[in-house]
Amino acid sequence: MEKIELFDKYIAGKLSEAEVTEFKERLNSDENFATDFKVYLISVRGICQEAEQENIEFGHAMKSLTKAQLQSIIGKGEKPRMVRPNFFRERMMWISSMAAMLVVAIGIGWNLYTSSQNHICDVVYSLTYQPIEGDRGDGSEYLDLNKLTTEQIETRLPDMKAIFEADEIDSQDWHIDGMNLAMAYLKLHRKSDAVKVLETIAANSSEPDEYNRIIKQLK
């Protein structure tokens, strides 16, 4: 059964007692289903409000007509014709409501997706990142990402990338600088960039297992 059809039947009270119980259980256990139902309710509420407003406006318009105007509309000597709601306006209302529903659904879906991806970055970062203490041998110290804000990391990214690319491949500094760069991307929630760096390290490392494990966690 299509979701919209199921929602319609639930609102109309056309589901059996067992189906209602199953519906409520699914609302509690299925986050996507619950989100779709909320979007549906928002859209239905909007349609009902628009329809109610149109009925009010139609009633006022009819009351303001004179007897002569009413006869000219329905025709003298003819049986009164049923006044149907404007079909075109009905269809435009439906299209507008569906478009609004689609926009809301896309927005909610994108927010949920982004939130879940950011959460993955945060979890992998907290489980993986370990600051390196000491200096690099040239008088400068290794960066501690935990002590930097996201703005400071953004500023340092070009230098971090340049240092990693200048390191001798598979050297100790290359591994440290590469991991720091990948972790910096994770802290900024730039998962795809972090994965690219990790894939580069794994492809050129004599011991790629740890990097491949992190990549698997991110994907």
Side-chain angles (χ1 to χ4, degrees):
M1 182 185 298
E2 293 291 331
K3 283 185 180 179
I4 298 299
E5 182 182 356
L6 178 59
F7 296 160
D8 286 341
K9 289 188 176 182
Y10 176 78
I11 293 298
K14 295 181 179 180
L15 296 180
S16 66
E17 195 170 321
E19 289 174 328
V20 170
T21 300
E22 181 181 354
F23 184 94
K24 292 181 178 179
E25 289 176 351
R26 189 174 177 186
L27 282 178
N28 293 327
S29 62
D30 188 337
E31 186 175 341
N32 290 333
F33 183 80
T35 298
D36 290 341
F37 185 58
K38 288 178 184 177
V39 173
Y40 169 87
L41 290 178
I42 292 171
S43 299
V44 169
R45 189 180 297 116
I47 292 171
C48 291
Q49 288 175 345
E50 289 182 18
E52 182 179 358
Q53 182 62 32
E54 282 213 337
N55 288 336
I56 293 172
E57 293 173 358
F58 179 76
H60 286 321
M62 291 301 294
K63 288 179 181 179
S64 66
L65 291 176
T66 64
K67 184 176 180 180
Q69 289 173 325
L70 182 60
Q71 285 180 340
S72 68
I73 292 173
I74 64 176
K76 293 182 179 180
E78 297 178 6
K79 292 183 179 180
R81 295 174 296 182
M82 290 186 63
V83 180
R84 296 180 57 202
N86 188 292
F87 179 77
F88 177 73
R89 292 188 66 185
E90 280 186 347
R91 301 313 296 171
M92 289 303 297
M93 284 174 57
W94 181 84
I95 293 171
S96 298
S97 298
M98 290 301 101
M101 181 176 177
L102 180 60
V103 170
V104 172
I106 291 174
I108 292 174
W110 177 251
N111 288 336
L112 290 173
Y113 172 78
T114 301
S115 177
S116 67
Q117 294 302 300
N118 291 346
H119 180 67
I120 291 173
C121 290
D122 292 337
V123 170
V124 174
Y125 175 88
S126 64
L127 293 175
T128 305
Y129 180 65
Q130 295 180 347
I132 303 296
E133 297 182 357
D135 60 64
R136 298 174 56 88
D138 58 2
S140 62
E141 295 185 349
Y142 291 104
L143 289 178
D144 184 347
L145 298 177
N146 290 335
K147 296 180 180 179
L148 300 178
T149 65
T150 54
E151 290 78 10
Q152 290 172 327
I153 293 175
E154 283 279 10
T155 302
R156 292 175 178 263
L157 269 179
D159 289 338
M160 294 177 68
K161 185 177 179 181
I163 290 172
F164 169 62
E165 292 175 346
D167 287 336
E168 181 182 348
I169 292 177
D170 213 16
S171 65
Q172 179 177 326
D173 279 343
W174 182 78
H175 283 279
I176 294 174
D177 292 333
M179 180 62 79
N180 273 354
L181 179 59
M183 294 299 105
Y185 280 132
L186 285 185
K187 193 168 182 179
L188 296 174
H189 297 154
R190 292 168 57 174
K191 190 182 79 169
S192 61
D193 290 324
V195 170
K196 288 178 182 178
V197 173
L198 292 168
E199 287 176 340
T200 297
I201 302 174
N204 296 279
S205 175
S206 56
E207 297 180 0
D209 292 348
E210 179 64 15
Y211 303 110
N212 287 327
R213 181 186 65 79
I214 300 172
I215 293 169
K216 186 175 180 181
Q217 289 176 342
L218 290 170
K219 290 185 175 181

